[in-house]
Amino acid sequence: MIGEHTYRVRATWDGNRGAGTTGYRDYDRAVTLAIDGKPDLAASSDKPFRGDPTRWNPEDLLLAALSECHLLSYLHACVTVGVVVTSYEDDAHGVMREDGRGGGAFVEVVLRPRVTVADASMVAAAEAAHAQANEWCFIANSVAFPVRHEASVTVG
């Protein structure tokens, strides 16, 4: 299926403490992200940028999107080659570097999936499926930095 898909999200700033943005320290970075039919997501900036560390920040969301996209693409890749995955867990790690001018960018993300497969005969194909998953991952194909994989596969 080839097509174009459209996504919508409503971001609402909840951080006006009464004086708006009169000063850098005068407002909260609280944001509510909403998509019709889904639970709202409490978001903020990252703690070093005066954000609420109990809320998701854009950097968290980018890393989570890369991790989840690879996971879902990987499961599909495994189905296509007959690999039965019984468990999948990823400890993803991203590095964002500030540029000294108020901005910055991610310079790398490393995904560390730990996969368990049903049979020892599936290990090689399970390892190879990560390359296919990377090719299929919409999010990894949309970023301008490397997304590396340090995967391990075991038999359950």
Side-chain angles (χ1 to χ4, degrees):
M1 172 173 81
I2 297 176
E4 184 174 288
H5 305 271
T6 303
Y7 300 89
R8 290 179 173 80
V9 66
R10 184 173 41 267
T12 304
W13 175 51
D14 306 315
N16 186 348
R17 295 179 181 152
T21 58
T22 55
Y24 185 72
R25 299 179 193 287
D26 297 333
Y27 62 96
D28 196 313
R29 276 60 175 177
V31 174
T32 300
L33 301 175
I35 295 175
D36 290 340
K38 298 179 183 183
D40 288 354
L41 184 63
S44 180
S45 61
D46 197 9
K47 186 177 179 181
F49 308 108
R50 305 196 54 80
D52 181 344
T54 67
R55 292 174 168 242
W56 287 83
N57 63 59
E59 297 80 15
D60 293 336
L61 293 167
L62 178 61
L63 187 60
L66 284 163
S67 180
E68 181 184 4
C69 187
H70 185 81
L71 182 158
L72 295 170
S73 299
Y74 179 78
L75 295 178
H76 179 81
C78 284
V79 166
T80 65
V81 294
V83 171
V84 178
V85 175
T86 59
S87 161
Y88 183 114
E89 198 172 281
D90 182 18
D91 288 315
H93 175 80
V95 177
M96 184 192 72
R97 188 169 296 139
E98 292 183 64
D99 63 14
R101 300 182 314 256
F106 271 80
V107 295
E108 176 184 58
V109 164
V110 179
L111 305 179
R112 293 186 175 92
R114 291 182 310 283
V115 177
T116 304
V117 297
D119 188 82
S121 65
M122 300 173 177
V123 171
E127 290 169 343
H130 285 288
Q132 181 65 66
N134 191 57
E135 289 180 29
W136 285 346
C137 176
F138 303 129
I139 308 303
N141 288 317
S142 301
V143 299
F145 54 84
V147 179
R148 295 189 306 107
H149 307 91
E150 296 175 359
S152 66
V153 177
T154 58
V155 179

